[in-house]
């Protein structure tokens, strides 16, 4: 089925047409412009497919660059115009329907690959031409004695018609002959060059072996050598060449002349330098990028004994808000200004600033005294961020969090240093931001452990590493066991038994809390059924299960609870779900709706840690709770005698208010008999704590319930 009048094939053809019109004037070809367009069409198609491919393949770009050489596009201007066309029109005509930012990035990478392929193919073509010319010259010199006239004519044709520079000198270095291409490369007359000696053409960037190879050649110890060499032109500019020098021998095999073949690589070198700069510098700010920074950091860490390094890892506070409210263009302008300010902070020898990406920057200082210098560098950075930045007529206040790592060279890898700096920066951000913190090995270890636990969490549930302990709930009136609270634990293969405070926040952050909470609820309800079947004469028995705030917002909460109760054959009144007071402060009707549905079914809802969230007591009436769990901070003083009268009054007031609202009161953290008796007198209903039993396996609760049932 053919494409429509404005289909992909038509857009591809337009791109090829634009490309051919741009490049054809600088192409040495006998083809007409339409014929040349037909040669470029398959190359355009390869670029289009590479742009939209699932996985980026730089080989496609290199192949297209090489194909330009095969199509006689050997002039560097042909490459420049081709890159301009790809940059301006490839995404426009061939990137329909894709992520434009990603396509632009791909287009840039394709341009780099094209330039590399073009340069490689041009080099191979030139080397082949050099070898052919060298062979022709050698052959011509070898047959001089046999047919001087024919050989001279043949050699002169090659010599004068070659596109590369050719020069012949004697073994003392006096230049005897040069061709027109070499004169054009140097921009001088033949007489000016023939008055020079080869040994005068030194350059500060000559490779150490250059002149050693030359001496070996003129002594007859080698037949040829190949180097990259720079020459000064008369006007002071630099000519870069690929230089091949060969030894010409006479009929008796004695060294007689030296033949130099020069390819002008100045434009290619400038292109490579430009590509190298683009590969190692951030396109937005012009600062060194992550690649360049890692090269410098690796060099600094590999410095000799006595050398140290200091690194500041900066992340802007609240930068996302700027992007979200003012747009990414404003965010980019802000980053450019921040980069300029940071650059002004690192001007001393051994200092550099780089952008790692987004709003993350790093500053590096090296030398023997970085302990002091890195603190001063961080202070300068914080200082330059104080002044507001004007963006689109708005004065924006910029703040940042900095993590500092300092130490001797040779002890850590770049990845370890950057990880430590990153961890330290987030510690500064967690402490409120707009500050810097020094790296701490213990804090790093804790953060690394947290990361390890986070990555291990998803498979821990499948591997059966979680288990549940139960702490009994005791009626303060008759000391009978009325239920138990289910407390999940993680038996980690390396870290042993971990309490919920170590992994529940991580589970909430990763979203695992929903399946984990469902598993805890299912296991706890099954255990409650086992207890009831075993102690059916022990009175009502209820299992308490903690509910994370994240579970409250999960749409399957109510249905999951109903399904679990039905599968276990348990009535809703056998279950109590505990929700922390802080999770319900200011809760709207949407958040309370699932709790109300569960409460209407007969499930008890307990307000856990009551008294720590500063909730308005008057709001208790709108919450679907039937139990208040009083935080242990209210009753700690009752472990001593006499108890604090103020605490007694507070607890008495809370109990009185709760009972007036038909709410039962449970107290946590009961540790002494005197404390239990005082709470009974104050009217509390149930209690839990080490005085009765520590959390333990289900069998321990069987024993407690059995003792309670038998008196």
């Amino acid at each position: 089925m053919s494409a429509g009048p404005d289909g992909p094939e038509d857009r591809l053809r337009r791109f090829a047409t634009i490309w051919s019109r741009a490049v054809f004037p600088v192409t040495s070809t006998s083809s007409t412009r339409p014929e040349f367009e037909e040669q470029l069409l398959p190359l355009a198609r390869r670029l289009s497919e590479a742009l939209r491919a699932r996985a980026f393949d730089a080989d496609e770009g290199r192949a297209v660059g090489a194909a330009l050489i095969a199509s006689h596009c050997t002039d560097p201007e042909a490459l420049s115009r081709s890159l301009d066309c790809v940059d301006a029109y490839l995404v426009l005509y061939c990137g329909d329907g894709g992520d434009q930012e990603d396509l632009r990035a791909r287009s840039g990478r394709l341009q780099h690959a094209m330039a590399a392929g073009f340069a490689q193919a041009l080099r191979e073509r030139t080397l082949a031409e050099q070898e052919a010319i060298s062979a022709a010259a050698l052959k011509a010199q070898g047959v001089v004695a046999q047919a001087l006239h024919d050989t001279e004519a043949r050699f002169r044709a090659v010599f004068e018609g070659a596109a590369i520079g050719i020069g012949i000198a004697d073994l003392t270095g006096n230049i005897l002959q040069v061709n027109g291409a070499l004169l054009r490369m140097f921009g001088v007359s033949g007489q000016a060059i023939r008055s020079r000696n080869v040994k005068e053409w030194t350059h500060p960037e000559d490779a150490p072996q250059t002149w050693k190879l030359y001496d070996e050649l003129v002594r007859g110890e080698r037949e040829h050598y190949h180097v990259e060499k720079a020459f000064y032109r008369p006007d002071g500019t630099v000519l870069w060449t690929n230089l091949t020098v060969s030894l010409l021998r006479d009929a008796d095999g004695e060294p007689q002349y030296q033949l130099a073949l020069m390819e002008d690589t100045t434009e290619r070198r400038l292109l490579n330098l430009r590509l190298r700069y683009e590969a190692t510098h951030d396109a937005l700010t012009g600062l060194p990028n992550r690649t360049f920074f890692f090269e410098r950091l690796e060099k600094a860490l590999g410095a000799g004994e006595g050398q140290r390094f200091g690194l500041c890892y900066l992340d802007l506070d609240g930068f996302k808000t700027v992007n979200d409210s003012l747009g990414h263009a404003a965010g980019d302008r802000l980053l450019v200004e921040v980069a300029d300010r940071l650059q002004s902070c690192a001007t001393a020898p051994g200092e550099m600033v780089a952008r790692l990406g987004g709003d993350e920057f790093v500053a590096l200082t090296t030398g023997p005294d970085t302990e002091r210098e890195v603190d001063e560098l961080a202070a300068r950075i914080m200082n330059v961020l104080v002044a507001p930045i004007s963006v689109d007529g708005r004065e924006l206040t910029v703040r940042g969090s900095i993590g500092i790592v300092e130490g001797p060279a040779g002890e850590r890898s770049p990845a370890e240093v950057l990880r430590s700096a990153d961890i330290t920066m987030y510690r500064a951000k967690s402490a409120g931001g707009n500050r810097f913190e020094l790296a701490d090995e213990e804090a790093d270890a804790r953060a690394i452990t947290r990361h390890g636990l986070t990555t291990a969490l998803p498979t821990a549930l499948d591997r059966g590493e979680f288990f549940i302990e139960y702490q009994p709930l005791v009626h303060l009136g008759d000391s009978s066991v009325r239920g138990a609270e289910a407390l999940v634990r993680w038996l980690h293969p390396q870290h042993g038994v971990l309490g919920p405070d170590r992994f529940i926040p991580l589970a909430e952050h990763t979203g695992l809390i929903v399946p984990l909470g469902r598993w805890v609820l299912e296991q706890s309800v099954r255990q409650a059924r086992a207890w009831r079947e075993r102690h059916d004469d022990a009175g009502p028995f209820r299992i308490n299960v903690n509910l994370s705030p994240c579970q409250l917002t999960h749409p399957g909460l109510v249905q999951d609870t109903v399904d679990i109760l039905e599968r276990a054959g348990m009535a809703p009144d056998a279950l109590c779900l505990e929700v922390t007071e802080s999770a319900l402060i200011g809760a709207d009707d949407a958040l309370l709706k699932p709790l109300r549905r569960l409460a209407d079914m007969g499930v008890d809802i307990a307000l856990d840690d009551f008294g720590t969230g500063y909730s308005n007591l008057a709001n208790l009436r709108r919450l679907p709770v039937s139990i208040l769990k009083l935080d242990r901070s209210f009753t700690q003083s009752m472990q001593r005698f006499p108890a604090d009268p103020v605490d007694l009054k507070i607890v008495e007031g809370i109990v009185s208010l709760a009972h007036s609202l038909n709410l039962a009161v449970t107290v946590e953290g009961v540790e002494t008999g005197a404390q239990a008796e005082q709470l009974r007198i104050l009217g509390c209903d149930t209690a839990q704590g080490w005085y009765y039993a520590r959390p333990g396996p289900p069998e321990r609760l069987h024993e407690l319930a059995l003792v309670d049932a038998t008196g």
Side-chain angles (χ1 to χ4, degrees):
M1 181 176 179
S2 62
D6 196 27
E9 191 63 24
D10 293 282
R11 292 194 293 273
L12 185 67
R13 171 66 73 173
R14 290 180 203 161
F15 172 66
T17 300
I18 294 172
W19 189 5
S20 68
R21 287 174 176 166
V23 176
F24 184 78
V26 294
T27 301
S28 302
T29 177
S30 59
S31 302
T32 64
R33 209 280 306 162
E35 290 171 343
F36 182 66
E37 179 181 326
E38 291 302 317
Q39 296 177 38
L40 291 186
L41 184 58
L43 304 185
R45 182 171 285 104
R46 292 186 74 168
L47 289 176
S48 174
E49 292 171 352
L51 179 71
R52 294 178 285 105
R54 181 184 299 273
F56 177 78
D57 186 358
D59 288 343
E60 286 297 302
R62 286 191 286 269
V64 171
L68 288 175
I69 296 297
S71 298
H72 307 290
C73 301
T74 55
D75 192 318
E77 183 64 18
L79 174 62
S80 177
R81 295 188 182 192
S82 293
L83 294 179
D84 288 343
C85 283
V86 172
D87 184 62
Y89 298 105
L90 180 60
V91 174
L92 179 65
Y93 284 107
C94 304
D96 187 37
D99 183 326
Q100 293 299 299
E101 185 174 346
D102 181 58
L103 292 174
R104 292 294 305 171
R106 280 202 172 195
S107 174
R109 294 171 67 187
L110 281 172
Q111 293 170 55
H112 291 174
M114 283 177 63
F118 183 94
Q120 180 64 27
L122 182 59
R123 177 185 177 86
E124 292 171 356
R125 179 184 178 122
T126 303
L127 287 175
E129 187 179 62
Q130 287 178 346
E131 290 175 4
I133 293 171
S134 181
L138 288 170
K139 183 177 180 181
Q141 288 290 325
V143 238
V144 143
Q146 305 296 323
L148 182 59
H149 178 74
D150 292 343
T151 302
E152 177 66 24
R154 189 179 303 116
F155 176 74
R156 182 57 55 188
V158 173
F159 189 79
E160 291 298 340
I164 62 174
I166 304 175
I168 299 176
D170 61 25
L171 297 183
T172 61
N174 295 315
I175 299 172
L176 304 177
Q177 294 185 56
V178 293
N179 70 347
L182 190 143
L183 294 175
R184 290 191 295 273
M185 287 163 58
F186 279 86
V188 295
S189 66
Q191 185 58 40
I193 276 210
R194 282 191 288 272
S195 66
R196 302 285 300 273
N197 188 284
V198 170
K199 294 181 180 179
E200 298 175 15
W201 277 341
T202 60
H203 190 276
E205 295 194 45
D206 284 344
Q209 75 274 19
T210 299
W211 293 103
K212 178 176 177 292
L213 294 173
Y214 174 82
D215 290 338
E216 291 175 355
L217 182 129
V218 296
R219 290 198 303 264
E221 297 172 5
R222 66 169 50 247
E223 296 301 312
H224 57 80
Y225 66 88
H226 180 85
V227 292
E228 185 178 26
K229 176 162 172 46
F231 296 88
Y232 282 119
R233 294 188 178 100
D235 61 3
T237 60
V238 177
L239 167 70
W240 279 92
T241 68
N242 276 331
L243 174 66
T244 300
V245 183
S246 301
L247 183 65
L248 302 181
R249 298 178 182 270
D250 61 17
D252 297 325
E254 292 298 318
Q256 188 173 20
Y257 301 104
Q258 50 179 313
L259 172 71
L261 305 177
M262 294 183 186
E263 175 203 358
D264 184 351
T265 62
T266 307
E267 290 294 331
R268 187 193 310 164
R269 182 179 177 84
L270 291 175
L271 176 61
N272 288 336
L273 289 174
R274 190 189 92 183
L275 294 177
R276 165 67 181 167
Y277 180 88
E278 291 177 354
T280 57
H281 286 73
D282 177 52
L284 176 65
T285 64
L287 291 178
N289 62 11
R290 178 182 289 269
T291 301
F292 194 179
F293 169 72
F294 263 90
E295 291 177 3
R296 283 288 299 275
L297 180 59
E298 190 168 16
K299 183 178 179 181
L301 295 177
E305 186 177 349
Q307 294 299 303
R308 302 180 70 87
F309 75 95
L311 185 147
C312 297
Y313 193 118
L314 167 69
D315 184 272
L316 301 183
D317 297 333
F319 178 72
K320 184 177 183 299
T321 305
V322 176
N323 270 346
D324 292 345
S325 58
L326 301 182
H328 287 276
D332 286 349
R333 286 193 288 275
L334 178 67
L335 290 174
V336 170
E337 176 62 27
V338 168
D340 289 343
R341 295 188 182 188
L342 295 180
Q343 189 74 58
S344 69
C345 295
T347 55
E351 293 182 344
M352 75 168 292
V353 172
R355 182 189 179 204
L356 297 186
D359 60 331
E360 295 180 341
F361 298 85
V362 284
L364 178 67
T365 181
T366 57
D369 190 25
T370 55
E371 291 177 277
R372 174 184 56 82
E373 292 171 355
V374 73
D375 286 342
E376 294 176 354
L377 179 59
R380 290 200 300 272
I381 291 173
M382 299 299 289
N383 243 13
V384 298
L385 295 179
V386 169
I389 294 177
S390 179
V391 176
D392 294 341
R394 298 171 182 262
E395 294 289 319
L396 301 181
T397 301
V398 181
R399 296 290 182 264
S401 301
I402 299 177
I404 298 176
V405 179
E406 193 279 335
E411 293 187 356
R412 286 179 282 186
S413 69
E416 289 171 338
V417 169
L418 203 63
R419 179 176 65 180
S420 179
D422 190 25
I423 291 171
T424 308
M425 179 272 291
Y426 276 106
R427 185 151 48 85
K429 195 174 284 288
S430 299
N434 193 29
R435 59 190 293 141
F436 58 82
E437 295 277 352
L438 295 175
D440 176 80
E441 289 187 8
E442 292 185 5
D444 285 2
R446 289 194 298 271
I448 292 169
T449 299
R450 282 196 303 273
H451 176 73
L453 293 178
T454 301
T455 55
L457 263 172
T459 55
L461 187 58
D462 296 333
R463 291 196 300 262
E465 294 177 4
F466 292 103
F467 67 97
I468 300 173
E469 291 186 330
Y470 299 89
Q471 187 171 37
L473 288 160
V474 177
H475 191 275
L476 285 170
D478 57 13
S479 298
S480 62
V481 177
R482 295 296 179 88
E485 180 179 0
L487 301 167
V488 65
R489 307 285 191 254
W490 183 2
L491 182 56
H492 193 277
Q494 282 81 42
H495 302 290
V497 176
L498 303 178
D501 57 313
R502 293 287 302 277
F503 62 86
I504 290 297
L506 303 180
E508 290 176 334
H509 179 70
T510 59
L512 186 71
I513 191 64
V514 172
L516 177 60
R518 187 186 302 117
W519 178 85
V520 171
L521 181 61
E522 189 168 15
Q523 297 298 313
S524 303
V525 169
R526 285 180 182 176
Q527 186 59 57
R529 177 182 176 180
W531 279 322
R532 285 201 171 187
E533 290 175 347
R534 195 165 177 178
H535 305 288
D536 55 359
D537 57 344
F541 192 94
R542 185 182 65 220
I543 189 73
N544 285 31
V545 179
N546 290 285
L547 204 61
S548 162
C550 298
Q551 291 174 270
L552 283 176
T553 59
H554 188 263
L557 173 63
V558 175
Q559 190 60 51
D560 284 347
T561 305
V562 170
D563 292 344
I564 289 170
L565 288 170
E566 287 182 351
R567 282 197 299 269
M570 296 290 285
D573 62 3
L575 175 64
C576 175
L577 296 176
E578 297 188 11
V579 185
T580 59
E581 179 188 17
S582 58
L584 296 184
I585 292 177
D588 56 19
D589 289 339
L591 186 64
L592 295 177
K593 185 177 179 180
L595 291 181
R596 289 199 176 101
R597 289 179 59 190
L598 290 168
D600 291 342
M601 290 163 42
V603 175
D604 282 321
I605 308 296
L607 194 61
D608 198 10
D609 298 333
F610 182 76
T612 61
Y614 308 104
S615 62
N616 188 336
L617 295 179
N619 285 336
L620 286 175
R621 297 187 63 180
R622 61 183 287 269
L623 301 179
V625 299
S626 54
I627 300 169
L628 289 187
K629 290 196 73 174
L630 195 61
D631 187 71
R632 68 186 63 213
S633 60
F634 287 102
T635 62
Q636 282 179 336
S637 68
M638 298 180 192
Q639 296 176 14
R640 301 181 300 274
F641 185 83
D644 188 327
V646 175
D647 286 347
L648 291 175
K649 285 291 185 184
I650 292 174
V651 173
E652 183 180 21
I654 292 175
V655 172
S656 175
L657 173 64
H659 286 168
S660 69
L661 296 173
N662 294 321
L663 303 177
V665 178
T666 298
V667 183
E668 298 179 295
V670 177
E671 298 184 12
T672 67
Q675 189 181 12
E677 178 60 20
Q678 186 65 67
L679 292 168
R680 184 191 65 79
I681 294 172
L682 290 173
C684 297
D685 300 291
T686 54
Q688 64 186 98
W690 288 6
Y691 172 65
Y692 303 105
R694 298 191 179 209
E699 294 75 20
R700 175 62 179 153
L701 206 64
H702 284 314
E703 297 168 7
L704 292 173
L706 185 61
V707 170
D708 174 51
T710 59

